[in-house]
Amino acid sequence: MNIAEIYKMLRDRAVADTGSGGLFNASSAFKLSDWYTAVANRSATAPYVVQSIASAVADDTFGSEVVPIRVRFAVWTAIEDGLDKPSAIMRRIYGDATQTGSITHGFHRWVPTLTSSYGWSATAMRYVSTAENHDDDWFCFIPEYEFVLTR
């Protein structure tokens, strides 16, 4: 399992969201300035997302290799921008998946594709929870998603 590949795959999915209303659509009211891995640039301007791996611990109770992966997408916006902006960003990160339909953007029910994975495959991602880490100047909502790698 390659954590760097997972980070790249997640970021690639996010920055490819350039369609109408997309996270990186130039005319979107909530266009992200960037999608960072682990830490944001010191000069980052809101809104932006910082992705991180919350956990990736192998479960050896099965005959095959199984690694549940939990990822966090910390959505940072300026408080003076209000709550509409982080709400719209989190809706877009969640995505448009339905029980029976296809998914065109977002992460909930999206099946990650690992290109150089040495035999690893992934289950569909699923939304798990949202935490908060606000301060005097920033809203920070942190939705978590989970998927499982097997081989």
Side-chain angles (χ1 to χ4, degrees), residues 23-97:
L23 294 170
F24 288 90
N25 180 297
S27 62
S28 174
F30 57 87
K31 179 188 179 295
L32 294 177
S33 65
D34 209 337
W35 185 281
Y36 296 99
T37 296
V39 296
N41 185 321
R42 288 186 188 271
S43 61
T45 56
Y48 61 88
V49 170
V50 178
Q51 68 179 1
S52 61
I53 303 290
S55 66
V57 180
D59 186 341
D60 61 0
T61 60
F62 300 97
S64 61
E65 294 178 85
V66 176
V67 183
I69 306 287
R70 189 169 282 213
V71 297
R72 292 181 177 142
F73 302 125
V75 177
W76 291 88
T77 62
I79 282 184
E80 63 263 15
D81 288 341
L83 290 168
D84 288 344
K85 191 171 283 191
S87 177
I89 293 167
M90 288 190 301
R91 274 195 311 273
R92 195 72 187 191
I93 289 171
Y94 183 89
D96 63 348

Side-chain angles (χ1 to χ4, degrees), residues 81-126:
D81 288 341
L83 290 168
D84 288 344
K85 191 171 283 191
S87 177
I89 293 167
M90 288 190 301
R91 274 195 311 273
R92 195 72 187 191
I93 289 171
Y94 183 89
D96 63 348
T98 62
Q99 287 285 70
T100 58
S102 63
I103 176 172
T104 63
H105 64 270
F107 292 95
H108 183 65
R109 297 199 178 136
W110 173 66
V111 178
T113 302
L114 304 169
T115 55
S116 59
S117 60
Y118 304 103
W120 291 97
S121 61
T123 64
M125 291 182 75
R126 68 179 186 90

